[in-house]
């Protein structure tokens, strides 16, 4: 995906265009082995909002829906997870035996390829597509098993309605946990720059993309 425009203000229409792009790319994303890709689903109605700056529009779109991380902390999705961050988002469920653990290990390799200094500037966020089964304790055990239970890697769950809302805002419309996209979403939230990345991309290439997103925009 090309870089987001370098405006100081981002209108609702710009956010809708971003989400439309994410949805289109999600529809052609990889499915889990043995599962068919999910069909199109209706896009949720955009939230009502007053005119304002890009941060307000981002908060209204992504929402401050409260989710819970692997340590049992309640976190607002925009204000506590996304705001001001360079993020790597993906969707997993812990009883997956094919794509999810492979992609988690790939992202661990990406983090290692970046080195400690750069990795500390990126927040990894894995959202469960199966919140009914993936409790914080289950996610904690999964993160520990994969060797990625760290301060800058969040595994998020919550009640199903809240998780479904958040997944919808990042272009995931899921009739079942298995039908989530395996593509990765990398973003510089403050700079309004977003990319979709294939999960089979080399770790070094993904790390390079994150390094570019972590570089400040001129005049920001």
């Amino acid at each position: 995906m090309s870089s987001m425009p370098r405006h100081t203000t981002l209108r609702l229409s710009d956010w809708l265009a971003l989400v439309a792009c994410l949805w289109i790319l999600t529809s052609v994303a990889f499915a889990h082995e043995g599962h068919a890709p999910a069909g199109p689903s209706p896009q949720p109605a955009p939230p009502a909002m007053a005119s304002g700056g890009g941060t307000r529009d981002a908060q209204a779109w992504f929402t401050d829906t409260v989710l819970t991380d692997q340590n049992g902390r309640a976190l607002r999705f925009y204000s506590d997870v996304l705001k001001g961050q360079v993020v790597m988002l993906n969707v997993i469920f812990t009883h997956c035996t094919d794509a999810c653990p492979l992609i988690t290990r790939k992202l661990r390799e990406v983090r290692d390829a970046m080195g400690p200094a750069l990795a500390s500037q990126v927040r990894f966020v894995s959202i469960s597509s199966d919140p009914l089964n993936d409790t914080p304790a289950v996610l904690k055990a999964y993160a520990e098993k994969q060797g990625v239970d760290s301060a800058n890697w969040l595994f998020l769950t919550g009640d199903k309605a809240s998780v479904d809302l958040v997944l919808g805002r990042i272009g995931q419309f899921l009739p079942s946990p298995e039908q989530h996209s395996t593509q990765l979403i990398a973003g510089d939230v403050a700079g309004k720059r977003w990319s979709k990345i294939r999960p089979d991309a080399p770790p070094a290439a993904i790390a390079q993309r994150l390094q570019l997103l972590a570089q400040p925009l001129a005049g920001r």
Side-chain angles (χ1 to χ4, degrees), residues 130-186:
D130 186 22
L132 297 180
N133 293 302
D134 286 344
T135 63
V138 170
L139 289 175
K140 180 78 169 179
Y142 176 86
E144 290 176 344
K145 181 179 180 180
Q146 297 297 325
V148 295
D149 186 32
S150 61
N152 70 329
W153 197 318
L154 301 176
F155 286 81
L156 300 178
T157 188
D159 65 80
K160 190 174 187 307
S162 295
V163 171
D164 285 350
L165 175 59
V166 166
L167 290 176
R169 295 302 187 184
I170 63 170
Q172 294 272 6
F173 306 97
L174 309 176
S176 70
E178 295 82 4
Q179 291 179 296
H180 71 78
S181 167
T182 58
Q183 284 194 328
L184 311 172
I185 303 173

Coordinates of all heavy atoms in Angstrom, one line a residue, residues 130-186:
D130 N -10.6 -15.3 18.3 CA -11.4 -16.3 19.0 C -11.5 -15.9 20.5 O -11.0 -16.6 21.3 CB -10.8 -17.7 18.8 CG -11.7 -18.8 19.5 OD1 -12.9 -18.6 19.6 OD2 -11.1 -19.9 19.8
P131 N -12.1 -14.7 20.8 CA -12.1 -14.2 22.1 C -12.8 -15.1 23.1 O -12.6 -15.1 24.3 CB -12.7 -12.9 22.0 CG -13.6 -12.9 20.8 CD -12.8 -13.8 19.8
L132 N -13.8 -16.0 22.6 CA -14.5 -16.8 23.5 C -13.6 -17.9 24.2 O -13.9 -18.3 25.3 CB -15.7 -17.5 22.8 CG -16.7 -16.6 22.2 CD1 -17.8 -17.4 21.5 CD2 -17.4 -15.7 23.3
N133 N -12.6 -18.2 23.5 CA -11.6 -19.2 24.0 C -10.3 -18.7 24.4 O -9.6 -19.2 25.3 CB -11.4 -20.3 23.0 CG -12.6 -21.2 22.7 OD1 -13.2 -21.8 23.6 ND2 -13.0 -21.2 21.4
D134 N -9.9 -17.6 23.8 CA -8.6 -17.0 24.1 C -8.7 -16.0 25.2 O -8.8 -14.7 25.0 CB -8.0 -16.3 22.8 CG -7.5 -17.3 21.8 OD1 -7.3 -18.5 22.2 OD2 -7.3 -17.0 20.7
T135 N -8.7 -16.5 26.4 CA -8.7 -15.6 27.6 C -7.3 -15.0 27.8 O -6.3 -15.4 27.1 CB -9.0 -16.4 28.9 OG1 -8.0 -17.4 29.1 CG2 -10.4 -17.1 28.7
P136 N -7.1 -14.0 28.6 CA -5.8 -13.5 28.9 C -4.8 -14.5 29.3 O -3.7 -14.5 28.9 CB -6.0 -12.4 30.0 CG -7.4 -11.9 29.7 CD -8.2 -13.2 29.3
A137 N -5.2 -15.5 30.2 CA -4.3 -16.5 30.6 C -3.9 -17.4 29.4 O -2.7 -17.8 29.3 CB -5.0 -17.4 31.7
V138 N -4.8 -17.7 28.5 CA -4.5 -18.5 27.4 C -3.5 -17.8 26.5 O -2.6 -18.4 25.9 CB -5.8 -18.9 26.6 CG1 -5.5 -19.6 25.3 CG2 -6.6 -19.9 27.5
L139 N -3.8 -16.5 26.2 CA -2.9 -15.7 25.4 C -1.5 -15.6 26.1 O -0.5 -15.6 25.4 CB -3.5 -14.3 25.2 CG -4.7 -14.2 24.3 CD1 -5.2 -12.8 24.2 CD2 -4.3 -14.7 22.8
K140 N -1.4 -15.5 27.4 CA -0.2 -15.4 28.1 C 0.6 -16.7 27.9 O 1.8 -16.6 27.6 CB -0.4 -15.2 29.6 CG 0.8 -15.1 30.4 CD 1.5 -13.8 30.3 CE 2.6 -13.6 31.4 NZ 3.2 -12.3 31.3
A141 N 0.0 -17.8 28.0 CA 0.7 -19.1 27.8 C 1.2 -19.2 26.3 O 2.3 -19.7 26.1 CB -0.3 -20.2 28.1
Y142 N 0.3 -18.8 25.4 CA 0.7 -18.8 24.0 C 2.0 -17.9 23.7 O 2.9 -18.3 23.1 CB -0.4 -18.3 23.1 CG -0.1 -18.2 21.6 CD1 -0.3 -19.4 20.8 CD2 0.3 -17.0 21.0 CE1 0.0 -19.3 19.4 CE2 0.5 -17.0 19.7 CZ 0.4 -18.1 18.9 OH 0.7 -18.0 17.5
A143 N 1.9 -16.7 24.3 CA 3.0 -15.8 24.1 C 4.3 -16.3 24.7 O 5.4 -16.2 24.1 CB 2.7 -14.4 24.7
E144 N 4.2 -16.9 25.9 CA 5.4 -17.5 26.5 C 5.9 -18.7 25.7 O 7.2 -18.8 25.5 CB 5.0 -18.0 27.9 CG 4.8 -16.8 28.9 CD 4.4 -17.2 30.3 OE1 4.0 -18.4 30.4 OE2 4.4 -16.4 31.2
K145 N 5.0 -19.5 25.2 CA 5.4 -20.7 24.4 C 6.2 -20.2 23.1 O 7.1 -20.9 22.7 CB 4.2 -21.5 24.0 CG 4.6 -22.7 23.2 CD 3.3 -23.6 22.9 CE 3.6 -24.8 22.0 NZ 2.4 -25.6 21.7
Q146 N 5.7 -19.1 22.5 CA 6.3 -18.6 21.3 C 7.6 -17.7 21.6 O 8.2 -17.3 20.6 CB 5.3 -17.8 20.5 CG 4.1 -18.6 20.0 CD 4.5 -19.7 19.1 OE1 5.4 -19.6 18.3 NE2 3.7 -20.8 19.2
G147 N 7.8 -17.5 22.8 CA 9.0 -16.7 23.2 C 8.9 -15.2 22.8 O 9.9 -14.5 22.6
V148 N 7.6 -14.7 22.9 CA 7.4 -13.3 22.6 C 6.6 -12.5 23.6 O 6.0 -11.5 23.3 CB 6.6 -13.2 21.2 CG1 7.5 -13.7 20.1 CG2 5.3 -13.9 21.3
D149 N 6.6 -13.0 24.9 CA 5.9 -12.3 25.9 C 6.8 -11.2 26.5 O 7.6 -11.4 27.3 CB 5.5 -13.3 27.0 CG 4.7 -12.7 28.1 OD1 3.9 -11.8 27.8 OD2 4.8 -13.0 29.3
S150 N 6.6 -10.0 25.9 CA 7.4 -8.9 26.3 C 6.6 -7.6 26.3 O 5.4 -7.6 25.9 CB 8.5 -8.7 25.3 OG 8.0 -8.5 24.0
A151 N 7.2 -6.6 26.8 CA 6.5 -5.3 27.1 C 5.9 -4.7 25.8 O 4.9 -4.0 25.8 CB 7.4 -4.3 27.8
N152 N 6.6 -4.8 24.7 CA 6.2 -4.2 23.5 C 5.5 -5.2 22.5 O 5.4 -4.9 21.3 CB 7.4 -3.5 22.7 CG 8.3 -4.5 22.1 OD1 8.5 -5.6 22.7 ND2 9.0 -4.1 21.0
W153 N 5.0 -6.3 23.1 CA 4.2 -7.2 22.2 C 2.9 -7.5 23.0 O 2.9 -8.2 24.0 CB 4.9 -8.5 21.9 CG 4.3 -9.3 20.8 CD1 3.0 -9.5 20.5 CD2 5.0 -10.0 19.8 NE1 2.8 -10.3 19.4 CE2 4.1 -10.6 18.9 CE3 6.4 -10.1 19.5 CZ2 4.5 -11.3 17.8 CZ3 6.8 -10.9 18.4 CH2 5.8 -11.5 17.6
L154 N 1.8 -6.9 22.5 CA 0.5 -7.1 23.2 C -0.3 -8.2 22.5 O -0.4 -8.2 21.2 CB -0.3 -5.8 23.1 CG 0.3 -4.6 23.8 CD1 -0.6 -3.4 23.6 CD2 0.5 -4.9 25.3
F155 N -0.9 -9.1 23.2 CA -1.9 -10.0 22.7 C -3.2 -9.6 23.3 O -3.4 -9.6 24.6 CB -1.5 -11.5 23.2 CG -0.4 -12.0 22.4 CD1 0.9 -11.7 22.7 CD2 -0.6 -12.8 21.3 CE1 2.0 -12.2 22.0 CE2 0.5 -13.4 20.6 CZ 1.8 -13.0 20.9
L156 N -4.2 -9.3 22.5 CA -5.4 -8.7 22.9 C -6.6 -9.6 22.7 O -6.8 -10.3 21.7 CB -5.7 -7.4 22.2 CG -4.6 -6.3 22.3 CD1 -5.0 -5.1 21.5 CD2 -4.4 -5.9 23.8
T157 N -7.5 -9.6 23.7 CA -8.8 -10.3 23.7 C -9.8 -9.4 24.3 O -9.6 -8.2 24.6 CB -8.7 -11.7 24.3 OG1 -9.9 -12.4 24.1 CG2 -8.4 -11.6 25.8
G158 N -11.0 -9.9 24.6 CA -12.1 -9.2 25.2 C -13.4 -9.9 25.0 O -13.5 -11.0 24.5
D159 N -14.5 -9.2 25.3 CA -15.8 -9.8 25.0 C -15.9 -9.7 23.4 O -15.3 -8.9 22.7 CB -16.9 -9.0 25.6 CG -17.1 -7.6 25.2 OD1 -17.7 -7.4 24.1 OD2 -16.6 -6.7 25.9
K160 N -16.7 -10.7 22.9 CA -16.8 -10.9 21.5 C -17.2 -9.6 20.7 O -16.7 -9.3 19.6 CB -17.7 -12.0 21.1 CG -17.6 -12.4 19.6 CD -18.5 -13.7 19.4 CE -18.2 -14.2 17.9 NZ -18.5 -13.1 16.9
A161 N -18.2 -8.9 21.2 CA -18.7 -7.7 20.6 C -17.6 -6.7 20.4 O -17.4 -6.0 19.4 CB -19.9 -7.1 21.3
S162 N -16.8 -6.5 21.5 CA -15.7 -5.5 21.4 C -14.6 -5.9 20.5 O -14.1 -5.1 19.7 CB -15.1 -5.4 22.8 OG -16.1 -4.8 23.7
V163 N -14.2 -7.2 20.5 CA -13.2 -7.7 19.6 C -13.7 -7.6 18.1 O -13.0 -7.2 17.2 CB -12.8 -9.1 19.9 CG1 -11.9 -9.7 18.8 CG2 -12.1 -9.2 21.3
D164 N -14.9 -8.0 17.9 CA -15.5 -7.9 16.5 C -15.5 -6.4 16.0 O -15.2 -6.2 14.8 CB -16.9 -8.4 16.5 CG -17.0 -9.9 16.6 OD1 -15.9 -10.6 16.4 OD2 -18.1 -10.4 16.7
L165 N -15.8 -5.5 16.9 CA -15.8 -4.1 16.5 C -14.3 -3.6 16.1 O -14.1 -3.0 15.0 CB -16.3 -3.2 17.6 CG -16.2 -1.7 17.4 CD1 -17.0 -1.3 16.2 CD2 -16.7 -0.9 18.6
V166 N -13.4 -4.0 16.9 CA -12.0 -3.6 16.7 C -11.5 -4.3 15.4 O -10.9 -3.6 14.5 CB -11.1 -3.9 17.8 CG1 -9.6 -3.9 17.5 CG2 -11.4 -3.0 19.0
L167 N -11.8 -5.5 15.2 CA -11.4 -6.2 14.0 C -12.0 -5.6 12.8 O -11.3 -5.5 11.7 CB -11.7 -7.7 14.1 CG -10.9 -8.5 15.1 CD1 -11.4 -10.0 15.2 CD2 -9.4 -8.5 14.7
G168 N -13.2 -5.2 12.9 CA -13.9 -4.6 11.7 C -13.2 -3.3 11.4 O -13.1 -2.9 10.2
R169 N -12.7 -2.5 12.4 CA -12.1 -1.3 12.1 C -10.7 -1.4 11.4 O -10.2 -0.5 10.8 CB -11.9 -0.5 13.4 CG -13.1 -0.1 14.1 CD -14.0 0.8 13.2 NE -15.2 1.3 13.9 CZ -16.2 2.0 13.4 NH1 -16.1 2.3 12.1 NH2 -17.2 2.4 14.1
I170 N -10.1 -2.6 11.5 CA -8.8 -2.8 10.8 C -9.1 -3.7 9.5 O -8.1 -4.3 9.0 CB -7.8 -3.4 11.7 CG1 -8.1 -4.8 12.2 CG2 -7.4 -2.5 12.8 CD1 -7.0 -5.5 12.9
G171 N -10.3 -3.8 9.1 CA -10.6 -4.5 7.8 C -10.8 -6.0 7.9 O -10.7 -6.7 6.9
Q172 N -11.1 -6.5 9.1 CA -11.3 -7.9 9.3 C -12.8 -8.1 9.6 O -13.3 -7.6 10.6 CB -10.5 -8.4 10.5 CG -9.0 -8.4 10.2 CD -8.5 -9.6 9.6 OE1 -9.3 -10.5 9.2 NE2 -7.2 -9.8 9.4
F173 N -13.5 -8.9 8.8 CA -14.9 -9.2 9.0 C -15.0 -10.7 9.0 O -14.9 -11.4 8.0 CB -15.7 -8.6 7.9 CG -15.5 -7.1 7.7 CD1 -14.6 -6.7 6.8 CD2 -16.2 -6.2 8.5 CE1 -14.4 -5.3 6.6 CE2 -15.9 -4.9 8.4 CZ -15.1 -4.4 7.4
L174 N -15.2 -11.3 10.2 CA -14.9 -12.7 10.4 C -16.2 -13.5 10.7 O -16.7 -13.4 11.8 CB -13.9 -12.9 11.5 CG -12.6 -12.0 11.4 CD1 -11.8 -12.2 12.7 CD2 -11.9 -12.4 10.2
P175 N -16.6 -14.4 9.8 CA -17.7 -15.3 10.2 C -17.2 -16.4 11.1 O -18.0 -17.1 11.8 CB -18.2 -15.9 8.9 CG -17.0 -15.7 7.9 CD -16.3 -14.5 8.4
S176 N -15.9 -16.7 11.2 CA -15.4 -17.7 12.1 C -13.9 -17.3 12.4 O -13.3 -16.6 11.6 CB -15.4 -19.1 11.5 OG -14.5 -19.2 10.4
P177 N -13.3 -17.8 13.5 CA -12.0 -17.5 13.8 C -11.0 -17.9 12.7 O -10.0 -17.2 12.5 CB -11.7 -18.2 15.1 CG -13.0 -18.4 15.8 CD -14.0 -18.6 14.6
E178 N -11.2 -19.0 12.1 CA -10.3 -19.5 11.1 C -10.2 -18.7 9.8 O -9.3 -18.8 9.1 CB -10.7 -21.0 10.7 CG -10.6 -22.0 11.8 CD -11.8 -22.0 12.7 OE1 -12.8 -21.2 12.5 OE2 -11.8 -22.7 13.7
Q179 N -11.2 -17.8 9.6 CA -11.2 -17.1 8.3 C -10.6 -15.7 8.4 O -10.8 -14.9 7.5 CB -12.7 -17.0 7.8 CG -13.2 -18.4 7.4 CD -14.6 -18.4 6.9 OE1 -15.5 -18.1 7.7 NE2 -14.8 -18.7 5.7
H180 N -9.8 -15.4 9.4 CA -9.2 -14.2 9.5 C -8.0 -14.1 8.4 O -7.5 -15.1 8.0 CB -8.6 -13.9 10.9 CG -7.4 -14.7 11.3 ND1 -6.2 -14.4 10.8 CD2 -7.4 -15.8 12.1 CE1 -5.3 -15.3 11.3 NE2 -6.0 -16.1 12.1
S181 N -7.7 -12.9 8.0 CA -6.6 -12.7 7.1 C -5.3 -12.9 7.8 O -5.1 -12.6 9.0 CB -6.6 -11.3 6.5 OG -5.4 -11.0 5.9
T182 N -4.3 -13.5 7.1 CA -3.0 -13.7 7.7 C -2.0 -12.6 7.2 O -0.8 -12.6 7.6 CB -2.4 -15.1 7.3 OG1 -2.4 -15.2 5.9 CG2 -3.3 -16.2 7.9
Q183 N -2.5 -11.6 6.5 CA -1.6 -10.5 6.1 C -1.3 -9.6 7.3 O -2.1 -9.6 8.3 CB -2.2 -9.7 5.0 CG -2.0 -10.4 3.6 CD -2.3 -9.5 2.4 OE1 -3.1 -8.6 2.5 NE2 -1.6 -9.8 1.3
L184 N -0.3 -8.9 7.3 CA 0.2 -8.1 8.4 C -0.1 -6.6 8.0 O -0.1 -6.2 6.9 CB 1.7 -8.2 8.6 CG 2.2 -9.7 8.6 CD1 3.7 -9.7 8.6 CD2 1.7 -10.4 9.9
I185 N -0.4 -5.9 9.1 CA -0.7 -4.4 8.9 C 0.3 -3.7 9.7 O 0.4 -3.8 10.9 CB -2.1 -4.1 9.4 CG1 -3.2 -4.9 8.6 CG2 -2.4 -2.6 9.2 CD1 -4.6 -4.7 9.2
A186 N 1.2 -2.9 9.0 CA 2.2 -2.1 9.6 C 1.8 -0.6 9.5 O 1.3 -0.2 8.4 CB 3.5 -2.3 8.9

